[in-house]
Amino acid sequence: MIDKIRAGAAAALETVHSGASVVIGGFGRTGVPVDLIDALCARDVRELHVIANNGGQGLPGERGIGRLLAENRVKKFSCSFPVNPAFFRRYFDGEVEIELVPQGTLAERLRAGGSGLGGFYTPTAAGTILADGGFVMRHGTPEKTLPPKEQRVIDGRTYVLEFPLRPDFALVKADRADRYGNLRFRLGARNFNPLAAMAARTTVVQADHIGSLAPDDIHLPGPFVDHLVRTEPEAA
Amino acid sequence: MIDKIRAGAAAALETVHSGASVVIGGFGRTGVPVDLIDALCARDVRELHVIANNGGQGLPGERGIGRLLAENRVKKFSCSFPVNPAFFRRYFDGEVEIELVPQGTLAERLRAGGSGLGGFYTPTAAGTILADGGFVMRHGTPEKTLPPKEQRVIDGRTYVLEFPLRPDFALVKADRADRYGNLRFRLGARNFNPLAAMAARTTVVQADHIGSLAPDDIHLPGPFVDHLVRTEPEAA
Amino acid sequence: MPLLRTELARRVAGDLEDGWCVNVGIGAPLLLPGQPTPGKEILYHCEHGLLGVGPPPEGEPDPDITDAGKNPVTLLAGAAAFDSSVSFAIARGGRLDLCVLGALQVGEHGDLANWLVPGGNPGVGGAMDLAVGARRVWVMMNHVDKQGNAKLRKACTFPLTGVGVVDRVYTDLAVFEFTGGALTLRERAPGVGLEEIAARTEATYTVDLWNRGAAA
Amino acid sequence: MPLLRTELARRVAGDLEDGWCVNVGIGAPLLLPGQPTPGKEILYHCEHGLLGVGPPPEGEPDPDITDAGKNPVTLLAGAAAFDSSVSFAIARGGRLDLCVLGALQVGEHGDLANWLVPGGNPGVGGAMDLAVGARRVWVMMNHVDKQGNAKLRKACTFPLTGVGVVDRVYTDLAVFEFTGGALTLRERAPGVGLEEIAARTEATYTVDLWNRGAAA
């Protein structure tokens, strides 16, 4: 029998190790798997390569990706919009690395990883320091800058070669799931979540509801999901 | 006001011209926009480059892609499984061209075209005559064979470079649509339909039902759709 | 008088065409879905995966319905939700009639710089994808920066978002259009003189004002 | 006695593991979803975009529920529908535990030829994607072709589907396994002698039969 439902987030995340790459769904505060992140922060996991669109706000007591950054668990952050004052301080101090990726390229690199593709050509970023090189990924001595990316003219237009992302783990938030791991998301909370699930070698999902789903109501089929936990009810 | 609903298939297809490239959804007989194909066959349109997974069965009175092939309207067929006896005869006689594309590569080339990408690397077909060249696309004198495709080793694995498909028109079958062109498909009838809609410059859809759709029930958003007609009721 | 932020949003909204699918970037463009567009149905697209976004909610906000700036908004008739890869397929695939972005600088050949002040905090979001993908790119910005420097420049000195991508620039002082890669002044804000615009613009441009009676 | 087609399907089904996601190609593998697998839940995947496919329907068929061979099937608990690009993302992305394909020829280092007899009608379908993407590829075929020629060969003479992709071969006479690129005979059909297998096999192989008492 197929049953991907685990007893709790701690059990579902027990193989996540320091140094792992972890992609996390969400856009701003929408669709972020905060329970899974809390469970991850309960373990001694550090030096993560986190892949996520946003970096949280850097507020005291913040949940989500901002908590991972605040607790200094991230050595490299691949993202489009890292905006988090505390993390930026560590970036300018040369303690952490930022791989800045245009948002559509980030989405497509995750999808390519999940689809077994070797890379793709996108027109995005051509003629900018995110393609021609020069963006400072890590400050300090020596400074690390983004190397120029391979470019190619196809049908008269310049495209940039981008490679897939294939992280060790994905943390994903769904609205509804069944025991097969089939997922359905809710409105703007879908965003990067299905792509994160596709890309990772091991995908852990928190779902607000667990039940059955009609075949055409499923946004992401179960083979992309490994472990599933029910979202913790909000504390009163 | 946005209203993509047209009075009938003839009106929706009036700009399709001889020599056009047309991608058609469906897998076997499932999800094929037969009403749109009938309406296309009512016009004097020839020398088409048709892109579709299957070629129909070649039976008398057959609807669907088989009808386009039977009426000799296709000069080039890009497909994964052309199986149609009448069309094969014309292929071996050197009258028509077959671009044989692995099914997953066909799906991905359509998606890449619809996504504004310049190309992608896939492991599919590496080491075969569909990548190394040699497949006979057109018999006769001179014979036309598929040229070798560009290949590249990425992380130790060989990938084949494939380019996007961006046909002039798409014919698509949906289960339900709203006036904005938002679409929902039914079970196995989804197959290539959303990808065809994404890829084409002008997308024409036949839908069994026209009504409203909740945002999370939509399988393909309206910006990929140009014209929409209601499916003809089956003749008694 | 320079236009206020909401006056500028109303001005831009006036030029939208019925049926357009329009992405709005963070900053001032996020005011657009709140502007009335009588007789015109506009589909606003949010880069993370929503289409058909409307004004901020009057009641309790839904945390799953936000705009690109993470502010609560509403969904209108025809709204659709999808993942971020489909959202950027819409953008890169040429299915956006228009994208309206804020800018730090615009070069006189249509280059756009809107994501990084050198030495400042980096954050690019979806701007680079939108700039290359949308059929039209309009910039909505203050004519000068907080230090009074011209933002319409001969060349951008800040890192670029896209090369030659801008079609129009709406500022608090004027409307400019790029035609064939050259910049043309098309409109002055009420009470703003040609001299004031010239004094606050570094880019070279010609003056060929729209006839207000004709279609803009 | 060589196995009948349904006996071969039952034999293959016996080796499936609980929870596997299994793609079945056209031809004999399409019999698999109709085989009972007591105590095991198998999710059958159809390349055009269905998962959770079951046996043919007893009543009226649904034209939107078909297998890769376009035959009517049913949907079981946990079934999901998706487009063909997602379907092949599952395949290429390594999320299929197994793919079972028919074959024209299999080479002694695991090459597969299953889509074109030279001079015949071409049609590749999803075989090339499945062959490179699935975690395991099992072939299910008659041991010899209609002319009596060995299909397990030193090298394929027909155009390849994939290079070194096959993990096991189930025929009406025997089961073979590739380990480290070399072919091993693992099982004989009931009443089939080693000599008969040897006479009908061109490929070089070693004999190291599974112990029937142990796990296969």
Side-chain angles (χ1 to χ4, degrees):
Chain A
M1 182 174 138
I2 300 168
D3 189 358
K4 298 182 177 177
I5 303 170
R6 308 290 169 251
L13 293 167
E14 64 184 5
T15 59
V16 185
H17 49 88
S18 287
S21 51
V22 184
V23 57
I24 305 176
F27 177 82
R29 280 178 295 175
T30 304
V32 179
V34 291
D35 294 334
L36 295 178
I37 292 171
D38 284 348
L40 192 63
C41 289
R43 302 187 56 227
D44 185 25
V45 175
R46 310 224 153 243
E47 301 278 309
L48 297 174
H49 173 198
V50 167
I51 301 157
N53 192 63
N54 303 93
Q57 302 171 282
L59 301 175
E62 185 180 2
R63 297 180 80 190
I65 295 156
R67 180 172 175 191
L68 283 172
L69 299 177
E71 294 186 0
N72 202 7
R73 295 173 182 275
V74 181
K75 67 166 183 201
K76 179 176 178 180
F77 190 21
S78 297
C79 58
S80 86
F81 211 70
V83 180
N84 177 313
F87 190 72
F88 276 141
R89 277 194 294 278
R90 302 212 347 270
Y91 165 65
F92 285 112
D93 287 348
E95 293 168 18
V96 294
E97 179 174 326
I98 293 179
E99 181 192 24
L100 201 71
V101 184
Q103 193 171 336
T105 300
L106 185 63
E108 201 64 27
R109 288 179 66 192
L110 291 167
R111 185 190 172 279
S115 303
L117 301 176
F120 60 90
Y121 289 96
T122 179
T124 301
T128 79
I129 61 169
L130 295 190
D132 298 339
F135 175 75
V136 180
M137 299 178 73
R138 180 191 279 273
H139 288 276
T141 315
E143 186 178 81
K144 179 178 177 184
T145 55
L146 185 78
K149 292 180 181 175
E150 199 173 313
Q151 299 189 33
R152 178 175 182 136
V153 175
I154 300 169
D155 280 343
R157 190 170 195 193
T158 301
Y159 291 86
V160 180
L161 177 60
E162 293 283 353
F163 292 105
L165 288 167
R166 195 85 168 95
D168 299 319
F169 297 92
L171 309 188
V172 164
K173 180 179 191 295
D175 180 53
R176 194 176 180 87
D178 65 20
R179 66 177 166 90
Y180 298 89
N182 293 312
L183 304 183
R184 184 173 171 88
F185 305 92
R186 186 171 178 276
L187 300 172
R190 193 178 327 182
N191 57 65
F192 284 88
N193 278 300
L195 307 165
M198 289 175 77
R201 294 176 200 283
T202 301
T203 291
V204 184
V205 177
Q206 69 169 79
D208 286 349
H209 309 281
I210 290 185
S212 64
L213 282 163
D216 280 330
D217 288 345
I218 291 164
H219 292 150
L220 188 80
F224 295 112
V225 172
D226 298 287
H227 306 296
L228 187 58
V229 297
R230 197 154 134 225
T231 305
E232 297 292 327
E234 289 274 339
Chain B
M1 183 173 137
I2 299 168
D3 189 358
K4 298 182 177 176
I5 303 170
R6 306 292 168 250
L13 292 167
E14 64 184 5
T15 60
V16 184
H17 49 88
S18 287
S21 52
V22 184
V23 57
I24 305 176
F27 176 81
R29 281 178 295 174
T30 304
V32 179
V34 290
D35 294 333
L36 295 178
I37 292 171
D38 284 347
L40 192 61
C41 288
R43 303 187 55 226
D44 183 27
V45 174
R46 310 224 151 242
E47 300 279 306
L48 297 175
H49 173 197
V50 167
I51 301 158
N53 191 62
N54 302 94
Q57 302 171 281
L59 300 175
E62 185 179 1
R63 298 180 77 190
I65 295 155
R67 178 172 178 191
L68 284 171
L69 299 178
E71 295 187 1
N72 202 8
R73 294 172 184 276
V74 180
K75 67 167 184 200
K76 179 177 178 180
F77 189 22
S78 297
C79 58
S80 86
F81 211 68
V83 178
N84 177 313
F87 190 71
F88 276 141
R89 275 194 296 278
R90 303 215 344 272
Y91 165 64
F92 285 111
D93 287 348
E95 294 168 17
V96 294
E97 179 172 326
I98 293 179
E99 181 191 25
L100 201 71
V101 185
Q103 193 171 335
T105 300
L106 185 63
E108 202 64 27
R109 289 179 66 192
L110 290 166
R111 185 189 172 279
S115 303
L117 301 176
F120 60 90
Y121 289 96
T122 179
T124 301
T128 79
I129 61 170
L130 296 190
D132 297 339
F135 175 74
V136 180
M137 299 178 73
R138 179 192 280 272
H139 287 277
T141 314
E143 186 177 84
K144 178 177 177 184
T145 56
L146 186 79
K149 293 180 179 175
E150 198 172 314
Q151 299 189 33
R152 179 174 181 137
V153 176
I154 301 169
D155 280 343
R157 190 172 196 193
T158 302
Y159 292 86
V160 180
L161 177 59
E162 293 283 353
F163 292 104
L165 288 167
R166 195 86 166 95
D168 299 320
F169 297 92
L171 309 189
V172 164
K173 180 180 190 295
D175 181 55
R176 195 176 179 87
D178 66 18
R179 67 176 166 90
Y180 298 90
N182 293 311
L183 303 184
R184 183 172 172 88
F185 305 93
R186 185 170 179 275
L187 301 172
R190 194 178 327 181
N191 58 66
F192 284 89
N193 277 300
L195 307 165
M198 289 175 78
R201 294 177 199 283
T202 301
T203 291
V204 184
V205 178
Q206 69 168 80
D208 286 348
H209 308 282
I210 290 184
S212 65
L213 283 163
D216 280 330
D217 288 345
I218 291 164
H219 292 152
L220 188 80
F224 294 112
V225 171
D226 298 287
H227 306 296
L228 187 60
V229 297
R230 192 148 140 231
T231 304
E232 297 292 327
E234 288 278 337
Chain C
M1 289 278 291
L3 299 181
L4 301 175
R5 238 166 103 92
T6 50
E7 289 171 330
L8 179 56
R10 205 176 313 141
R11 176 64 196 87
V12 174
D15 283 355
L16 302 181
E17 293 187 18
D18 186 31
W20 273 7
C21 179
V22 179
N23 178 283
V24 283
I26 57 175
L30 293 179
L31 294 172
L32 282 174
Q35 303 306 311
T37 50
K40 298 189 287 195
E41 190 170 28
I42 308 296
L43 275 180
Y44 287 106
H45 169 267
C46 290
E47 60 196 40
H48 55 299
L50 288 174
L51 187 72
V53 155
E58 303 201 348
E60 187 70 20
D62 182 328
D64 293 341
I65 307 177
T66 56
D67 66 18
K70 293 91 184 176
N71 312 296
V73 287
T74 47
L75 294 181
L76 306 178
F82 34 84
D83 73 43
S84 298
S85 79
V86 173
S87 187
F88 284 97
I90 291 174
R92 265 191 259 95
R95 301 286 184 167
L96 292 174
D97 296 290
L98 170 67
C99 170
V100 187
L101 294 170
L104 298 164
Q105 298 180 332
V106 175
E108 68 183 23
H109 300 294
D111 292 355
L112 171 66
N114 84 340
W115 67 280
L116 181 60
V117 176
N121 294 338
V124 69
M128 288 185 180
D129 303 277
L130 294 161
V132 297
R135 289 184 209 162
R136 300 168 186 83
V137 175
W138 293 357
V139 162
M140 194 174 153
M141 65 178 194
N142 286 328
H143 205 92
V144 297
D145 68 18
K146 284 172 188 161
Q147 290 76 43
N149 300 310
K151 294 172 72 172
L152 266 165
R153 306 181 67 86
K154 293 205 167 301
C156 296
T157 57
F158 295 172
L160 295 186
T161 305
V163 178
V165 293
V166 179
D167 296 290
R168 285 189 190 175
V169 181
Y170 290 79
T171 80
D172 50 341
L173 300 185
V175 181
F176 290 84
E177 193 170 34
F178 287 93
T179 49
L183 189 62
T184 306
L185 174 64
R186 290 300 200 189
E187 187 176 300
R188 302 174 289 161
V192 173
L194 288 176
E195 305 70 21
E196 182 179 353
I197 294 169
R200 292 167 186 272
T201 305
E202 185 199 281
T204 304
Y205 59 92
T206 56
V207 180
D208 182 9
L209 297 178
W210 280 325
N211 181 340
R212 286 195 159 252
Chain D
M1 291 281 289
L3 298 181
L4 301 174
R5 241 166 101 94
T6 51
E7 289 170 331
L8 179 57
R10 205 176 313 140
R11 175 65 196 87
V12 174
D15 282 356
L16 302 180
E17 293 186 19
D18 186 31
W20 273 7
C21 180
V22 179
N23 178 282
V24 283
I26 57 174
L30 293 179
L31 295 172
L32 283 172
Q35 303 306 309
T37 51
K40 298 188 288 194
E41 191 170 27
I42 309 296
L43 274 179
Y44 287 105
H45 169 267
C46 290
E47 60 196 41
H48 55 299
L50 288 174
L51 187 72
V53 155
E58 304 202 347
E60 187 70 20
D62 182 327
D64 293 342
I65 306 177
T66 56
D67 65 18
K70 293 89 183 179
N71 312 296
V73 288
T74 46
L75 294 180
L76 306 178
F82 33 85
D83 73 43
S84 299
S85 80
V86 172
S87 188
F88 284 96
I90 291 173
R92 265 191 259 94
R95 302 287 183 165
L96 291 174
D97 297 290
L98 171 65
C99 169
V100 187
L101 294 171
L104 298 165
Q105 299 179 332
V106 175
E108 69 182 25
H109 299 295
D111 292 356
L112 172 65
N114 84 341
W115 66 281
L116 181 60
V117 177
N121 295 337
V124 68
M128 288 186 180
D129 304 277
L130 294 161
V132 298
R135 289 184 207 161
R136 300 168 187 84
V137 175
W138 293 358
V139 162
M140 193 175 154
M141 67 178 192
N142 287 330
H143 205 92
V144 296
D145 67 18
K146 284 172 189 162
Q147 290 75 41
N149 300 310
K151 293 172 72 174
L152 265 165
R153 307 182 66 87
K154 292 204 169 300
C156 296
T157 57
F158 295 172
L160 295 185
T161 306
V163 178
V165 294
V166 178
D167 296 291
R168 283 190 193 174
V169 181
Y170 290 79
T171 79
D172 51 343
L173 300 185
V175 181
F176 290 83
E177 194 171 32
F178 287 94
T179 48
L183 189 62
T184 306
L185 174 65
R186 290 302 201 187
E187 187 176 300
R188 300 174 288 162
V192 172
L194 290 177
E195 304 71 22
E196 182 178 353
I197 295 168
R200 293 170 185 268
T201 305
E202 186 198 281
T204 303
Y205 61 90
T206 56
V207 180
D208 183 8
L209 296 178
W210 279 324
N211 181 338
R212 286 193 159 255

